[in-house]
Amino acid sequence: MPVPRKPREVDPEDYPGKQFHELDAALDAAKRGPLWLADPEFADYAEYPILCGAERGRFLLHAYVIMPNHVHVLLDPYTPLAKISGPIKGVSACDINARLGRTGKPLWQDESFDHWIRNSAEFERIRYYIEWNPVAARLVDEPSKWKWSSAGNPYFKRLTPPPNAQTVH
């Protein structure tokens, strides 16, 4: 039986969340495929139910970003996640599909990548990752310039990266 290695001896290629970061980097690099959220009108449609859900007290919204082909949200849920993600996906899909003239076709994947945050350092790392995602994807040169994110929304006022923050792109 192999002896477990101490955390500092773990190969950096084996860090937790590696597959998520690889998938997210691939999504950021996508130039083809469904890029509906690159349209400002459709990004607004995707942002609206996120902000409404927070205003209605379904969750405490910490950070979010609407990318051209995916969305990241960091929240504390006050209801089951299905009752949060269902309306977010449903409202935006209905609006976007109506504008596209599409019926009976899904806009979002059925699944989402949910992750429980274990400590404040992980929380700050993920918040930073979300808000800096448009910079890593080379869509803007600073987070506040991306309109469809907590960094670009005047309601949120924190752009300071946490100590030792790393971008994985």
Side-chain angles (χ1 to χ4, degrees):
M1 175 178 269
V3 177
R5 296 188 291 178
K6 295 178 185 171
R8 68 178 181 275
E9 295 173 340
V10 173
D11 185 341
E13 294 299 312
D14 294 330
Y15 64 88
K18 177 185 174 196
Q19 289 179 324
F20 167 80
H21 289 288
E22 289 173 347
L23 174 61
D24 201 52
L27 286 170
D28 289 344
K31 302 297 180 221
R32 292 180 286 151
L35 298 170
W36 295 305
L37 301 177
D39 181 312
E41 179 182 5
F42 297 163
D44 285 343
Y45 289 155
E47 183 181 48
Y48 175 78
I50 294 170
L51 298 176
C52 280
E55 287 174 9
R56 291 180 179 164
R58 293 188 178 128
F59 50 86
L60 175 60
L61 181 62
H62 297 288
Y64 72 94
V65 66
I66 313 295
M67 298 295 286
N69 58 359
H70 66 285
V71 174
H72 294 289
V73 181
L74 177 60
L75 56 81
D76 285 336
Y78 297 142
T79 62
L81 283 178
K83 290 188 178 203
I84 293 171
S85 61
I88 288 173
K89 289 180 175 184
V91 169
S92 58
C94 184
D95 292 342
I96 293 169
N97 278 334
R99 263 320 249 130
L100 291 170
R102 292 167 26 114
T103 56
K105 296 180 181 177
L107 184 81
W108 300 103
Q109 291 181 347
D110 289 335
E111 290 187 23
S112 61
F113 179 82
D114 303 328
H115 175 76
W116 287 100
I117 295 175
R118 291 166 181 81
N119 56 51
S120 60
E122 183 178 20
F123 175 90
E124 286 301 317
R125 182 183 54 76
I126 291 170
R127 184 188 57 78
Y128 175 87
Y129 182 88
I130 289 171
E131 291 186 343
W132 285 78
N133 196 207
V135 176
R138 295 180 174 84
L139 299 171
V140 290
D141 60 358
E142 64 181 67
S144 63
K145 291 183 180 177
W146 191 248
K147 180 183 184 279
W148 301 278
S149 79
S150 46
N153 186 319
Y155 178 77
F156 295 87
K157 296 184 180 185
R158 53 189 193 283
L159 293 175
T160 309
N164 304 321
Q166 298 177 11
T167 320
V168 185
H169 284 285

